[in-house]
Amino acid sequence: MTGAETEDDIPLGERKTVTDFCYLLDKSKQLFNGLRDLPQYGHKQWQSYFGRTFDVYTKLWKFQQQHRQVLDSRYGLKRWQIGEVASKIGQLYYHYYLRTSETSYLNEAFSFYSAIRQRSYYFQVNKEDRPELVVKKLRYYARYIVVCLLLNKMDLVKVLVKELSEEIEDYTQRFNTEDQLEWNLVLQEVAAFVEADPVVVLNDNNSVVVTSNRLQEGTVPPLEQGMVVGQLVLADALIIGNCNNQLTPVELTIDMFRMLQALEREPVNLATQTSKQGTLEPNEKPAKRENPHKYLLYKPTFSQLFTFLSASFKELPANSVLLVYLSATGVFPTGHSDYEGPYDFGGVLTNTNRDVVNGETVQKRNQAQKEMHCLHPGDLFPFTRKPLFVIVDSSNSTAYKNFTNLFGQPLVCLLSPTVYPKSVQDQSQRGSLFTLFLYSPLLAFSSVCGLSNVRRGLWERAQEFLCKVYRDIGQMITRSRTIDQAFLQFFGDEFLRLLLIRFVFCSAALRLHKLFRESRSFPESYPELPKQDTVESGLLQKHILELATMLDVQSLFWDDSLEAY
């Protein structure tokens, strides 16, 4: 209401418009705040609540569009308030993506975040003497950047980081706040995250080409006709990050970020499309779930990790696989017992406030006792009652070689090297080499050869060549007469097939590389792969030398490799 106007002076219809808007606004805030009380695990409990929240925001968004003039004059609706509604819708889509693993919803989140910036909804905030409003704007920028990172919109991320930097500077100069260091840390970590890829692909004009490493049509070698493999489907994945030396913007390490994308298909827009900004169709879902459902656990405690594992295990559909990816600091045993069981080899660190020395935990307890803040191989035994696919990237990954398949279900563990040459160790803050191979073998191969950039034409030729290599590796696995059947049972799923093929490529490439001399520098697996048929196959070694020649780094590899051992 303006000036000397009283409520009675406002026409009844306009008064009802304001009342309805206030109701929808309050209801939307109430539902949105309730989202944080929902359990983070389990597929069923949250869906109806999300649906109700989407419905109210759909009504609120359309209502403010239809009645903008009345709300401007009678309610005093400000542009930042519209921006806040749009930002909440963007958050809803992002969280819907996290809950469902449907990359299409990332595009929807991007659509709303993009509209906020294009329409300058938060522009006036800086003119108001209210620090809490500026913080809303900063948080919007941080969320927008995360969505752009996940969609590989790196050019836009760089622009947004620059804008966020200017906003933080303005904020800290105007208001003497205590959170300045916090915001600067966010800025530094996001900026470093953008530069994390060790090798860049360049156009002829030296501009950087953004490459996607999600699963795309035609990138997975097809199964040979008549090939009998398992019909298991990867349904759930736990992606766990607890490395002490990796960048972590928004509670996502580099390794988690890479594995997340390795388990997703390239996103497609839903029918809403970015051209229809401002519309909202939250109930429109892809016909079938294209990606495995994922839980992202950053520095979980043992109890959190066990809770999520149990929830995934409980809800795993028939003929489905649970994948557990562990990127974590190693925990080593301090003594040897007479009987070496699944709790005697250490494992990987779970979250605790205990001291960490040089990246490895130091035990301060009776040697007969086991480390509590650690996921031991034995802790996973109960979950081997269903098909389980484990990837461990850790300095103590080999602890997980000590598995026993108690229940006869398909079980495979892919284990990282535990020692790297010094030149590779220096890169560890930018993510692990092993995970990089599982995410983008060509990026990892180029990195381990010391290349910092590759021309686009050469990159595309090398990728094309790798597709042929992958086909050959696939045939090596399926045609081997001595391979453990567990590998073949997982081979029917496209994501798992690609991970197995990339693992074999990684193992073969590191075995031929002159810098990698110790056996501890090679990946291992449980069950063991037949080396002569796979990682030490003469055909595969020939392919690796051809790729090295293509990239002009053949001098880094043993040519007559088998003699070098």
Side-chain angles (χ1 to χ4, degrees), residues 417 419-427 433 437 444-451 506-523 553-559 561 564-565:
V419 172
Y420 289 102
K422 189 167 189 326
S423 60
V424 178
Q425 279 178 333
D426 293 342
Q427 298 283 324
L433 179 68
F437 264 104
F445 189 86
S446 305
S447 170
V448 86
C449 293
L451 300 175
C506 169
S507 302
L510 299 188
R511 276 176 160 74
L512 280 189
H513 199 291
K514 289 178 180 177
L515 282 180
F516 290 74
R517 300 310 309 130
E518 294 186 63
S519 61
R520 293 184 301 162
S521 297
F522 306 144
V553 290
Q554 62 271 39
S555 61
L556 297 175
F557 293 84
W558 298 106
D559 208 337
S561 55
Y565 299 114

Side-chain angles (χ1 to χ4, degrees), residues 392-404:
V392 186
D393 196 338
S394 171
S395 52
N396 192 25
S397 62
T398 50
Y400 295 83
K401 274 199 311 185
N402 303 288
F403 251 107
T404 308

Side-chain angles (χ1 to χ4, degrees), residues 290-400:
E290 292 288 346
N291 299 319
H293 173 261
K294 294 181 293 296
Y295 291 118
L296 305 178
L297 301 181
Y298 172 66
K299 295 201 169 182
T301 62
F302 177 80
S303 58
Q304 286 171 328
L305 179 45
F306 214 71
T307 301
F308 278 83
L309 264 170
S310 302
S312 277
F313 179 83
K314 179 188 173 194
E315 296 198 343
L316 199 68
N319 300 316
S320 295
V321 182
L322 171 60
L323 181 147
V324 179
Y325 167 79
L326 296 162
S327 163
T329 302
V331 177
F332 295 90
T334 51
H336 290 285
S337 59
D338 296 334
Y339 163 71
E340 290 205 327
Y343 287 87
D344 293 317
F345 300 96
V348 298
L349 186 68
T350 53
N351 197 9
T352 166
N353 294 325
R354 290 149 23 92
D355 294 333
V356 172
V357 180
N358 294 330
E360 305 301 343
T361 59
V362 177
Q363 275 187 317
K364 303 167 185 168
R365 60 179 68 239
N366 181 325
Q367 286 195 359
Q369 295 173 335
K370 308 304 175 198
E371 172 56 60
M372 282 195 309
H373 303 286
C374 169
L375 186 77
H376 296 269
D379 293 324
L380 292 177
F381 278 21
F383 305 104
T384 61
R385 287 173 168 85
K386 292 182 181 179
L388 185 66
F389 193 99
V390 182
I391 301 171
V392 186
D393 196 338
S394 171
S395 52
N396 192 25
S397 62
T398 50
Y400 295 83

Side-chain angles (χ1 to χ4, degrees), residues 34 69 82 88 99 119 125 146 158 200 204 220 226 229 237 240 246 267 293 357 361 363 386 398 406 457 490 498:
Q69 204 171 345
I82 302 168
K88 289 278 202 303
R99 295 264 184 176
R119 299 172 190 178
V125 160
V146 171
K158 288 171 187 172
V200 293
D204 291 340
V220 184
V229 294
I240 297 142
Q246 277 192 24
H293 173 261
V357 180
T361 59
Q363 275 187 317
K386 292 182 181 179
T398 50
L406 300 173
F490 289 126
L498 206 50

Side-chain angles (χ1 to χ4, degrees), residues 133-180:
L133 288 186
V134 182
V135 169
K136 283 181 191 290
K137 185 177 185 178
L138 298 182
R139 284 180 178 157
Y140 149 71
Y141 264 105
R143 292 182 182 116
Y144 190 13
I145 287 168
V146 171
V147 168
C148 290
L149 279 171
L150 288 166
L151 287 170
N152 287 310
K153 296 181 184 290
M154 293 304 177
D155 290 343
L156 181 53
V157 169
K158 288 171 187 172
V159 173
L160 294 175
V161 167
K162 186 172 181 294
E163 289 179 13
L164 177 58
S165 174
E166 290 164 0
E167 294 288 348
I168 291 170
E169 198 175 327
D170 179 65
Y171 167 64
T172 51
Q173 281 176 359
R174 286 175 58 213
F175 308 103
N176 190 15
T177 60
E178 294 177 3
D179 56 357
Q180 179 179 354

